[in-house]
Amino acid sequence: LLFLVQVHGQGGVKFQNWAKTYGSSPELYFQPTSVEEIREILDMARQRDKRVKVVGGGHSPSDIACTDDFMIQMGKMNRVLKVDKEKQQVTVEGGIFLSDLNVELSKHGLALANLGAVSEVAAAGVIGTGTHNTGIKHGILPTQVVALTLLTASGEILECSESTNADIFQAARLHLGCLGIVLTVTFQCVPQFHLHEVAFPSTLTEVLDHLEDHLKRSQYFRFLWFPHSENVSVIYQDPTNKAGPRPPSSSASWLWDYAVGYYLLEFLLWISTFVPSLVCWINRFFFWLLFSSRVENIAISYKIFNYECRFKQHVQDWAIPIEKTKEALLELKAALENNPKMVAHYPVEVRFARGDEIWLSPCFQRDSCYMNIIMYRPYGKNVPHLNYWLTYEGIMKKHGGRPHWAKAHSCTRKDFEKMYPAFPKFCSVREKLDPKGMFLNAYLEKVFY
């Protein structure tokens, strides 16, 4: 009996990433609800010689998810398939948003040990681009993956873990969307926990001179540096047994966060596009306004890990060996001081992650410091950032940096061959699983060719 699923792709859909910095117009846009449907789409792609791109939340600030051929949006394949309370593991479909998973896990008294800043992102996408947070005892998010299933270009389903298809597993834990379609992911969880967050002001000199102490003192330590100044906001987040104090009355904090942190900032940054020298003043003013006093908060872990990305922006985020943190940051600071025309928005966010064995992980075999730089786009207006970008990239490359896969960077295959000892291994797995390049796009061609 021939069982035919009729899959319908929509034409005329315009895809844009969250920051609206990249977009594309896929010929057909699909939202499958079953593996059978995805197989049909892949068959159709094969017959028509089309490429396929899978997208989740579309949050990546680069063109990694763009295609003019077929786009598969996995949002309807978003179920929790299994919760194993004994092993503290959860198996989910690749399209589930972490925001939904967090709530589900907490019903079972479980949580993910670490999360990125944003939860409107799909499980398969989070691991595909190597999403990270901070904490020198914690790896990037893909290190929490213990198993996954992959649907390959030929329509075969592979179960992957440390013990089955181990090579494919080490490639697929950070897959760049180019090995196949991740159908399910199994995460290692921990018992649900609350976090106590303390943010307090400091200076760049103090933090860099006592980096070791800070890393020892707090499990999830990060700091924000305000370019064109010495100002730093240090953020400690640590598990606690205490229930939190009541957060400040929501209307007041909402007014403050949005009126000041959002609308006023956007307006001032827009003015600074005409008078760039204002940026130094804006960075100092906002530090004084929002970050110069000590603030504490206690909440369930995922509510502390997640925070507002404010508005549209360009970002870069490279990982360098942790011992290069001080040198690299001071070089960036000096570059800004020596070049008054170059302006940098706040904050430069500095985070830390444990080394791992995932082939394309920016933390492959080394503890790392991630240094995230940002240029906002007030009211969607582009702000000149090329000089700053190239200066930053130069410093990162010099110190052995590796760029965050989801974010825009100017690296090509030559760079990646130098950066990643396991790059040839990844390439050979990719060529085996997708010999015709069905899952490639313009972004990935720069990576592999």
Side-chain angles (χ1 to χ4, degrees):
L1 186 69
L2 261 179
F3 176 60
L4 260 185
V5 194
Q6 276 296 295
V7 284
H8 292 292
Q10 270 175 289
V13 171
K14 176 123 181 65
F15 166 74
Q16 275 201 314
N17 69 351
W18 173 81
K20 297 195 167 31
T21 43
Y22 292 92
S24 64
S25 303
E27 185 180 316
L28 289 175
Y29 180 85
F30 299 91
Q31 286 190 296
T33 54
S34 67
V35 179
E36 286 70 37
E37 279 180 51
I38 299 179
R39 279 208 172 107
E40 291 274 314
I41 298 166
L42 295 186
D43 285 345
M44 196 196 304
R46 224 173 288 118
Q47 285 154 19
R48 301 199 198 167
D49 201 22
K50 295 289 178 193
R51 288 177 161 186
V52 177
K53 244 329 61 320
V54 183
V55 64
H59 223 280
S60 294
S62 69
D63 53 345
I64 191 166
C66 294
T67 183
D68 293 328
D69 287 3
F70 290 2
M71 182 173 276
I72 298 179
Q73 204 282 331
M74 292 290 276
K76 292 186 171 160
M77 296 183 68
N78 63 351
R79 290 172 308 159
V80 174
L81 300 173
K82 184 182 175 199
V83 178
D84 183 331
K85 283 217 157 151
E86 223 146 85
K87 289 186 177 162
Q88 299 186 335
Q89 291 175 353
V90 62
T91 302
V92 296
E93 289 184 309
I96 193 170
F97 272 17
L98 292 191
S99 46
D100 297 326
L101 177 57
N102 291 333
V103 174
E104 276 303 306
L105 284 176
S106 102
K107 289 179 193 163
H108 294 277
L110 295 172
L112 288 169
N114 210 347
L115 288 163
V118 181
S119 281
E120 273 54 58
V121 285
V126 163
I127 66 169
T129 53
T131 302
H132 68 96
N133 183 18
T134 194
I136 198 52
K137 291 196 172 73
H138 297 274
I140 61 173
L141 268 56
T143 59
Q144 301 175 58
V145 175
V146 288
L148 52 86
T149 55
L150 192 65
L151 176 66
T152 65
S154 63
E156 185 188 359
I157 292 182
L158 300 176
E159 305 276 338
C160 310
S161 66
E162 297 273 358
S163 51
T164 315
N165 291 318
D167 267 11
I168 296 175
F169 181 62
Q170 287 310 8
R173 284 209 282 174
L174 204 162
H175 53 74
L176 301 183
C178 68
L179 302 176
I181 296 176
V182 175
L183 298 174
T184 71
V185 181
T186 303
F187 288 104
Q188 181 60 53
C189 303
V190 295
Q192 179 178 332
F193 60 107
H194 281 67
L195 279 174
H196 179 198
E197 177 178 73
V198 184
F200 57 92
S202 184
T203 64
L204 191 59
T205 313
E206 188 283 323
V207 172
L208 292 178
D209 287 350
H210 301 104
L211 202 54
E212 284 296 307
D213 297 344
H214 287 290
L215 284 163
K216 283 196 191 90
R217 209 169 292 159
S218 171
Q219 196 179 136
Y220 303 96
F221 154 66
R222 71 154 62 93
F223 68 91
L224 311 177
W225 170 54
F226 291 68
H228 310 294
S229 78
E230 262 282 305
N231 296 333
V232 162
S233 173
V234 174
I235 299 159
Y236 286 172
Q237 295 170 340
D238 290 285
T240 177
N241 302 324
K242 291 203 277 289
R246 283 218 334 266
S249 81
S250 58
S251 60
S253 69
W254 181 90
L255 181 87
W256 194 244
D257 280 355
Y258 275 85
V260 172
Y262 195 105
Y263 297 111
L264 180 61
L265 179 62
E266 188 163 26
F267 176 66
L268 290 175
L269 287 176
W270 180 75
I271 291 180
S272 80
T273 60
F274 305 101
V275 192
S277 58
L278 276 179
V279 170
C280 308
W281 175 83
I282 292 170
N283 288 1
R284 289 180 176 159
F285 173 65
F286 272 88
F287 178 79
W288 170 78
L289 199 62
L290 298 177
F291 298 91
S292 60
S293 55
R294 184 185 166 96
V295 183
E296 290 191 50
N297 191 10
I298 293 180
I300 192 146
S301 58
Y302 63 86
K303 291 191 172 156
I304 297 274
F305 285 139
N306 287 169
Y307 52 89
E308 191 60 57
C309 284
R310 305 207 191 268
F311 42 91
K312 308 303 176 219
Q313 51 192 239
H314 291 288
V315 291
Q316 277 236 53
D317 192 15
W318 286 50
I320 53 176
I322 196 163
E323 59 278 7
K324 303 281 192 188
T325 306
K326 178 174 181 176
E327 212 179 326
L329 247 184
L330 291 178
E331 269 179 53
L332 188 62
K333 183 170 188 259
L336 289 169
E337 281 163 9
N338 299 333
N339 191 342
K341 281 210 167 70
M342 194 158 64
V343 297
H345 292 167
Y346 85 84
V348 170
E349 186 183 12
V350 185
R351 290 176 285 180
F352 303 90
R354 198 187 65 215
D356 60 52
E357 291 300 320
I358 298 168
W359 292 352
L360 290 191
S361 163
C363 302
F364 182 72
Q365 294 183 344
R366 66 186 199 200
D367 290 350
S368 301
C369 161
Y370 276 93
M371 215 169 280
N372 185 77
I373 64 166
I374 192 164
M375 286 300 270
Y376 291 111
R377 302 174 56 220
Y379 312 119
K381 180 175 178 177
N382 262 330
V383 177
H385 61 282
L386 200 62
N387 272 353
Y388 181 31
W389 252 225
L390 294 173
T391 304
Y392 165 87
E393 277 198 342
I395 295 169
M396 295 292 110
K397 270 189 180 159
K398 176 180 148 187
H399 292 296
R402 298 166 177 159
H404 188 320
W405 289 107
K407 302 185 179 176
H409 55 78
S410 63
C411 299
T412 59
R413 176 166 181 145
K414 271 204 186 78
D415 298 302
F416 295 126
E417 283 172 345
K418 278 199 212 89
M419 293 170 180
Y420 287 102
F423 194 75
K425 281 189 187 165
F426 186 94
C427 290
S428 73
V429 166
R430 189 195 71 76
E431 283 152 22
K432 256 203 228 76
L433 294 180
D434 185 17
K436 297 222 164 89
M438 178 189 278
F439 296 111
L440 292 180
N441 63 359
Y443 173 102
L444 291 168
E445 282 181 347
K446 291 200 282 265
V447 174
F448 295 113
Y449 293 105

